[in-house]
């Protein structure tokens, strides 16, 4: 008990700051990744050969971009993007420095998740909307997105958790947050207790997010009686 | 009035290996106030034919003329306006699952930019008309098949269309419910003066509600006329087969 008190007296503030940094990093990156990923995913679906506005060349190029983005391991992207990150936010360190590579690597991931969610929407509904004279844009925001909402929310929880994991990697190049703490104390100074504390915090946060995602998706889904 | 002139439709026309001629030189006139049945076996081309009327499918050749206006080549905004003037219902109801019953019915009005108060007033009227006044805040999953098709009918009527297309609208329903839905369609035809084009593979359905029928076989109209006349004196072999007069058609 006393040992625990002593531990928190010494590292409590540090861990709280790290947790906060990780959450901010992850949250801001997720938001930006969706701002970029939703339009990309929608465009992929709409311009597909069986889509509302088929466009073979555009669809191919888009597919390549998304695939290239997804095939570069995050740790490599992190380092490769340092000059770009400096250019965009002025530094490659700390929370701002981590957000840029996180957004770049998560956006294609989000695009694929969104694409998958939209493809689950029953094609008959799209056709019904067309039969009432809906334009492509109206079908996207009045049918595709609302009908796919529960699936999109589940996807968002997965995305959040994935970015969460990546953000710990960002810690290895001075990105701040829990990953940074785990490396500096757990790896470089052999302080296992700090390492274990970060792991416990990460596990608890991931569980919370997953549960929040599942519950809200289920609550919002009108297909449940 | 719907006039279909020399209409042909070939799917995948640009690829000889996969090309499939679904409709061949169709000539058909559907008068205002008709309940017009299009009957045929699975794969005969029924859906393709009605989908050419609101141009969900583009004819390969031929013309579609609605109320004197040649609509075959409409595009962009004019095409969307044409579709909005034609209601459509489907075999699987195609209700939006994440929208309440009320918001399913207001959907076509939202597209047209009608104000919220106005479209909800109209939707409530329509739900009364189809006998679902108490279900405005329900969701499709909570309704029976017959109730869902009623919602779909209310939705199809939202824009006050003069034409309603029904693609196998009762095929997923039991006999009793089919009967009720057909009665509803009949009253819509008689009281609102909506011209109804109804696809079915069931002679009983056609007999119950259509004043005229066309029999389609292999993408061609093989017989057309007053329902009573066609049923009393079927000429084409397919009509006889559908009526069960002669042995089954060999596949
Ligand atoms: N999008 C498409 N691409 C290629 N072929 C198609 C397409 N849609 C329909 N067909 C073909 O055209 C023919 C007519 O199809 P259609 O759906 O009009 O028949 P139907 O009479 O409505 O049949 P059912 O009673 O089964 O609904 C069928 O052979 C079908 O396989
Ligand atoms: Mg069909």
């Amino acid at each position: 008990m006393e040992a625990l008190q002593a531990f928190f007296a010494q590292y409590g503030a540090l861990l709280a700051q790290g947790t906060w940094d990780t959450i901010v990093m992850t949250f801001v990156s997720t938001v930006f990744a969706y701002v970029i990923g939703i339009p990309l995913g929608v465009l992929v679906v709409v311009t597909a050969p069986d889509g509302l506005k088929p466009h073979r060349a555009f669809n191919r190029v888009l597919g390549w971009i998304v695939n290239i983005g997804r095939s570069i391991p995050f740790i490599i992207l992190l380092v490769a993007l340092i000059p770009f990150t400096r250019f965009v936010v002025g530094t490659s360190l700390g929370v701002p420095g981590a957000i840029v590579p996180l957004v770049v690597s998560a956006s294609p991931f989000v695009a694929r998740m969104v694409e998958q969610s939209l493809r689950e929407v029953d094609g008959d509904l799209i056709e019904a909307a067309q039969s009432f004279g809906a334009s492509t844009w109206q079908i996207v925001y009045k049918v595709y997105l609302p009908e796919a909402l529960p699936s999109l929310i589940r996807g968002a929880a997965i995305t959040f958790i994935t970015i969460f994991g990546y953000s710990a990697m960002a810690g290895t190049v001075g990105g701040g947050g829990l990953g940074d703490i785990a490396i500096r104390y757990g790896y470089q100074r052999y302080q296992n207790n700090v390492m274990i504390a970060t792991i416990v915090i990460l596990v608890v946060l991931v569980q919370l997010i997953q549960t929040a995602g599942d519950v809200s998706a289920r609550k919002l889904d009108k297909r449940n009686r | 009035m719907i006039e279909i002139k020399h209409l042909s439709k070939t799917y995948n026309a640009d690829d000889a290996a996969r090309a499939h001629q679904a409709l061949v030189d169709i000539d058909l006139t559907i008068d205002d106030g008709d309940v017009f049945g299009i009957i045929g076996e699975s794969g005969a081309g029924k859906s393709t034919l009605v989908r050419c009327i609101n141009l969900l499918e583009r004819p390969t050749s031929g013309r579609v003329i609605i109320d004197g206006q040649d609509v075959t080549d409409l595009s962009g905004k004019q095409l969307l306006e044409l579709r909005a003037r034609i209601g459509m219902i489907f075999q699987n109801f195609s209700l939006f699952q994440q929208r309440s019953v009320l918001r399913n019915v207001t959907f076509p009005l939202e597209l047209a930019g009608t104000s919220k108060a106005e479209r909800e007033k109209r939707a409530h009227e329509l739900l009364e008309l189809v006998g679902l006044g108490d279900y405005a805040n329900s969701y499709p999953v909570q309704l029976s098949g017959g109730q869902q098709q009623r919602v779909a009918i209310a939705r199809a009527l939202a824009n006050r269309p003069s034409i309603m297309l029904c693609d196998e609208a009762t095929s997923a329903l039991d006999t009793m419910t089919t009967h009720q839905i057909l009665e509803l369609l009949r009253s819509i035809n008689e009281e609102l003066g909506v011209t109804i084009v109804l696809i079915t593979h069931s002679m009983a359905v056609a007999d119950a509600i259509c004043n005229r029928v066309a029999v389609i076989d292999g993408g061609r109209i093989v017989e057309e006329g007053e329902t009573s006349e066609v049923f009393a004196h079927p000429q084409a072999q397919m009509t006889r087969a559908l009526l069960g007069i002669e042995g089954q058609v060999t596949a």
Side-chain angles (χ1 to χ4, degrees), chain B residues 11-12 20 22 40-49 57 91 167-168 199 201 216:
Chain B
Y11 284 110
N12 307 315
H20 177 83
E41 289 198 314
S42 186
K46 307 182 293 292
S47 295
T48 307
L49 180 53
E57 218 66 77
Q91 179 167 358
D167 191 347
E168 304 268 10
I199 295 181
H201 57 253
I216 182 167

Coordinates of all heavy atoms in Angstrom, one line a residue, chain B residues 11-12 20 22 40-49 57 91 167-168 199 201 216, ligand 1:
Chain B
Y11 N -28.3 -5.7 -72.4 CA -27.4 -5.5 -71.3 C -26.0 -5.8 -71.8 O -25.8 -6.7 -72.7 CB -27.7 -6.4 -70.1 CG -28.9 -6.0 -69.3 CD1 -30.1 -6.7 -69.3 CD2 -28.8 -4.8 -68.5 CE1 -31.1 -6.2 -68.6 CE2 -29.9 -4.4 -67.8 CZ -31.0 -5.1 -67.8 OH -32.1 -4.7 -67.1
N12 N -25.0 -5.1 -71.4 CA -23.6 -5.3 -71.8 C -23.4 -5.3 -73.3 O -22.8 -6.1 -73.9 CB -23.0 -6.6 -71.2 CG -23.3 -6.7 -69.7 OD1 -23.0 -5.8 -69.0 ND2 -23.8 -7.8 -69.3
H20 N -26.7 -9.4 -73.6 CA -27.9 -10.1 -73.4 C -29.1 -9.2 -73.8 O -29.3 -8.2 -73.2 CB -28.0 -10.6 -71.9 CG -29.3 -11.3 -71.6 ND1 -29.5 -12.6 -71.9 CD2 -30.4 -10.8 -71.1 CE1 -30.7 -12.9 -71.5 NE2 -31.3 -11.9 -71.1
A22 N -32.5 -8.2 -73.4 CA -33.5 -8.4 -72.4 C -34.9 -8.0 -72.9 O -35.9 -8.6 -72.5 CB -33.2 -7.7 -71.1
G40 N -45.3 -12.3 -66.8 CA -44.3 -13.1 -67.5 C -43.5 -13.9 -66.4 O -43.5 -13.7 -65.2
E41 N -42.8 -14.9 -67.0 CA -42.0 -15.7 -66.1 C -40.7 -15.0 -65.6 O -40.4 -13.9 -66.2 CB -41.5 -17.0 -66.9 CG -42.6 -17.9 -67.2 CD -42.0 -19.3 -67.6 OE1 -41.1 -19.3 -68.4 OE2 -42.5 -20.3 -67.1
S42 N -40.1 -15.6 -64.7 CA -38.8 -15.0 -64.2 C -37.8 -14.9 -65.3 O -37.7 -15.8 -66.1 CB -38.2 -15.9 -63.1 OG -37.1 -15.3 -62.5
G43 N -37.2 -13.7 -65.4 CA -36.2 -13.5 -66.5 C -36.8 -13.0 -67.8 O -36.1 -12.8 -68.8
A44 N -38.1 -12.9 -67.9 CA -38.8 -12.5 -69.1 C -38.4 -11.1 -69.5 O -38.5 -10.7 -70.7 CB -40.3 -12.7 -69.0
G45 N -38.1 -10.2 -68.6 CA -37.8 -8.8 -68.9 C -38.7 -7.8 -68.3 O -38.7 -6.7 -68.6
K46 N -39.6 -8.3 -67.3 CA -40.6 -7.4 -66.8 C -39.9 -6.2 -66.0 O -40.3 -5.0 -66.3 CB -41.4 -8.2 -65.8 CG -42.1 -9.4 -66.3 CD -42.9 -10.2 -65.3 CE -42.2 -10.7 -64.1 NZ -41.3 -11.9 -64.4
S47 N -39.0 -6.5 -65.1 CA -38.4 -5.4 -64.4 C -37.7 -4.5 -65.3 O -37.7 -3.2 -65.1 CB -37.4 -6.0 -63.4 OG -38.1 -6.8 -62.4
T48 N -36.9 -5.0 -66.3 CA -36.2 -4.2 -67.2 C -37.2 -3.2 -67.9 O -36.9 -2.0 -68.0 CB -35.5 -5.0 -68.3 OG1 -34.7 -6.0 -67.6 CG2 -34.6 -4.2 -69.2
L49 N -38.3 -3.7 -68.3 CA -39.3 -2.9 -69.0 C -39.8 -1.7 -68.1 O -39.8 -0.6 -68.5 CB -40.5 -3.8 -69.4 CG -41.6 -3.0 -70.2 CD1 -41.1 -2.2 -71.3 CD2 -42.7 -4.1 -70.7
E57 N -33.1 2.3 -66.0 CA -32.4 1.6 -67.1 C -32.5 2.4 -68.4 O -33.6 2.8 -68.7 CB -33.0 0.2 -67.2 CG -32.1 -0.9 -67.5 CD -31.2 -1.2 -66.3 OE1 -31.7 -1.9 -65.3 OE2 -30.0 -0.8 -66.4
Q91 N -40.6 -5.3 -54.5 CA -40.9 -6.5 -53.9 C -40.4 -6.6 -52.4 O -41.2 -7.1 -51.6 CB -40.1 -7.6 -54.7 CG -40.3 -9.0 -54.1 CD -39.9 -10.1 -55.1 OE1 -39.4 -9.9 -56.2 NE2 -40.0 -11.4 -54.6
D167 N -43.1 -3.2 -58.8 CA -42.4 -4.3 -59.3 C -42.5 -5.5 -58.3 O -41.9 -5.5 -57.3 CB -40.9 -3.9 -59.4 CG -40.1 -5.0 -60.1 OD1 -40.6 -6.2 -60.3 OD2 -38.9 -4.8 -60.5
E168 N -43.4 -6.4 -58.7 CA -43.7 -7.6 -57.8 C -44.0 -7.2 -56.4 O -43.5 -7.8 -55.4 CB -42.4 -8.5 -57.8 CG -42.0 -9.0 -59.1 CD -42.6 -10.3 -59.6 OE1 -43.5 -10.8 -58.9 OE2 -42.2 -10.8 -60.6
I199 N -46.1 -5.2 -62.2 CA -45.5 -6.4 -62.7 C -45.9 -7.5 -61.8 O -45.9 -7.4 -60.6 CB -43.9 -6.2 -62.6 CG1 -43.4 -5.1 -63.4 CG2 -43.3 -7.6 -62.9 CD1 -41.9 -5.0 -63.3
H201 N -45.9 -12.2 -61.7 CA -45.8 -13.4 -62.4 C -47.1 -14.2 -62.0 O -47.2 -15.4 -62.4 CB -44.5 -14.2 -62.1 CG -44.4 -14.5 -60.6 ND1 -43.4 -13.8 -59.9 CD2 -45.0 -15.3 -59.8 CE1 -43.5 -14.2 -58.6 NE2 -44.5 -15.1 -58.5
I216 N -45.3 -11.0 -71.4 CA -44.0 -10.9 -72.0 C -43.3 -12.2 -71.8 O -43.3 -12.9 -70.8 CB -43.3 -9.7 -71.3 CG1 -41.9 -9.4 -71.9 CG2 -43.2 -9.9 -69.8 CD1 -41.3 -8.1 -71.4
Ligands
LIG1 N1 -28.0 -5.4 -64.8 C1 -28.1 -6.5 -65.6 N2 -27.0 -6.9 -66.3 C2 -27.1 -8.0 -67.2 N3 -28.2 -8.7 -67.4 C3 -29.3 -8.4 -66.7 C4 -29.3 -7.2 -65.8 N4 -30.6 -7.1 -65.3 C5 -31.3 -8.1 -65.8 N5 -30.6 -8.9 -66.7 C6 -31.0 -10.0 -67.5 O1 -32.1 -9.6 -68.3 C7 -33.2 -10.5 -68.3 C8 -34.4 -9.9 -67.9 O2 -34.3 -9.5 -66.5 P1 -35.5 -8.9 -65.7 O3 -35.0 -8.6 -64.3 O4 -36.1 -7.7 -66.4 O5 -36.5 -10.1 -65.6 P2 -37.9 -10.2 -64.8 O6 -38.9 -10.6 -65.8 O7 -38.1 -9.0 -64.0 O8 -37.6 -11.5 -63.9 P3 -38.0 -11.7 -62.3 O9 -39.4 -12.2 -62.4 O10 -37.0 -12.8 -61.9 O11 -37.8 -10.5 -61.6 C9 -32.7 -11.7 -67.4 O12 -32.2 -12.7 -68.3 C10 -31.6 -11.1 -66.6 O13 -30.7 -12.0 -66.3

